[in-house]
Structures are given as structure tokens and as C-alpha cells.
Amino acid sequence: MLWIAPGTPVKWPAGRQLAIPNIARGGWTFEDAIWFGGGRLMLAEAGASHSTYVMWDESDELLGWYVNLEDPWRESPFGFDSTDHLLDIWVDPDRSWRWKDEDHLADAIEIGLFTTEQAKAMRTEGERMIQRLEAWTEPFDEGWENWRPDPDWPLPSIPDGWANLKN
């Protein structure tokens, strides 16, 4: 599990949104930012090609769940790394769901960032998560929407030289 609290310092690509061709080229720059909005609890299962986020708004109301399709998390000097698969699933508090960013995945296939076979595997992983969602099994049925962090937890900091660390 990983908790991202409002106010947490973060690094993300300059401009925050990258066009798919820019992702394929790599080498983008990062900018300093502060996590805004509500908190996010990221739940990862060892070896799974997804993580599930529980997300709240600024007033601590549940926004919903977000299934992020991605490579399994790998340990790194700062915690964990992964590669995003672009295709995601949004789940509202009423349990209705929808695919998200299908167009991004199509663009990535078109320019060769992912193969058609990889995209099929990504969608299959998403379909497995939809089955779990519709059956309301873990992680959806575990009460994570009621979890709250210890209010005394300090915000983390980003150490100098973070971009030069190697696995």
C-alpha cells in the first residue's frame, strides 16, 4: 500500500500531461509539484499487472476506485517503480464502472509503444478486475474506502539527487 496525502511533494512530467509520442521518445523533464485534491491510497498486489487506487476529494468524500493497469511493481531505491499501460478503469462509489483512456492505448499501439498482443493482455487484465469488481471481491470489498491515515504521519520529502539513483 502507498498513501499519497494532500500536500505531498511530487515530481511529474513538465506540463503534467505527455502526448503519447513524447512518452515513446522518453527523456522528458520533471517539474516540482505538490499533490493537490484529496488523498489517494494505492493498493498493489505482488506480481499483478494492476494496482487499485481508493480516491477521496478535498472534503474526504469517496470519489471512487481507479484500476491502473501497469507492469507489476518493482522495488527501487525510493520504493517502487512500474510502467503504466495507459488503459484504466474508473469505478464510481455506486459500483458503476467505465474504461478510461482507450484512445491513449490505441495511439500507443499505432506508434509502436505497445504491440497488439501486449494490448490484448492489458485488456484481459482489466477484464479480470472487472469480474472482481462485479462480484465485489477483494480489494473492493475490504473496506478500504473507510480507511484513513494516521493524522500524525509527516509528509515525505524528495531527496537531492533523486533522478540519479539506480536500481
Side-chain angles (χ1 to χ4, degrees):
M1 287 176 267
L2 174 66
W3 167 245
I4 303 177
T8 298
V10 295
K11 299 272 188 181
W12 51 43
R16 205 164 156 247
Q17 296 289 334
L18 289 175
I20 301 304
N22 292 347
I23 292 172
R25 282 193 297 275
W28 55 82
T29 60
F30 290 91
E31 65 185 11
D32 293 319
I34 300 295
W35 188 261
F36 60 91
R40 178 180 293 184
L41 180 65
M42 302 168 77
L43 307 169
E45 299 172 42
S49 292
H50 69 272
S51 58
T52 304
Y53 306 166
V54 186
M55 299 170 62
W56 295 269
D57 67 13
E58 297 86 353
S59 61
D60 208 27
E61 293 294 318
L62 179 68
L63 289 173
W65 292 264
Y66 188 89
V67 178
N68 193 58
L69 301 173
E70 62 194 3
D71 283 353
W73 287 16
R74 303 174 302 277
E75 287 190 47
S76 74
F78 283 125
F80 300 93
D81 287 332
S82 183
T83 300
D84 189 71
H85 291 169
L86 304 175
L87 183 64
D88 303 300
I89 303 165
W90 176 256
V91 183
D92 287 312
D94 68 1
R95 302 183 189 181
S96 60
W97 63 269
R98 63 189 168 278
W99 290 104
K100 187 175 177 307
D101 300 329
E102 290 178 290
D103 56 332
H104 294 174
L105 181 58
D107 290 346
I109 294 166
E110 186 175 316
I111 66 169
L113 188 59
F114 295 119
T115 66
T116 302
E117 293 76 26
Q118 288 172 312
K120 286 179 186 175
M122 293 168 192
R123 184 169 288 274
T124 298
E125 179 73 6
E127 289 167 351
R128 278 194 292 271
M129 288 305 294
I130 291 166
Q131 289 173 351
R132 288 167 65 180
L133 164 65
E134 290 178 342
W136 206 249
T137 61
E138 45 97 25
F140 304 103
D141 69 339
E142 297 177 318
W144 290 111
E145 67 277 11
N146 300 314
W147 178 89
R148 296 300 183 272
D150 183 327
D152 294 329
W153 286 352
L155 291 177
S157 61
I158 299 173
D160 292 336
W162 68 273
N164 298 320
L165 291 177
K166 302 288 182 212
N167 285 337

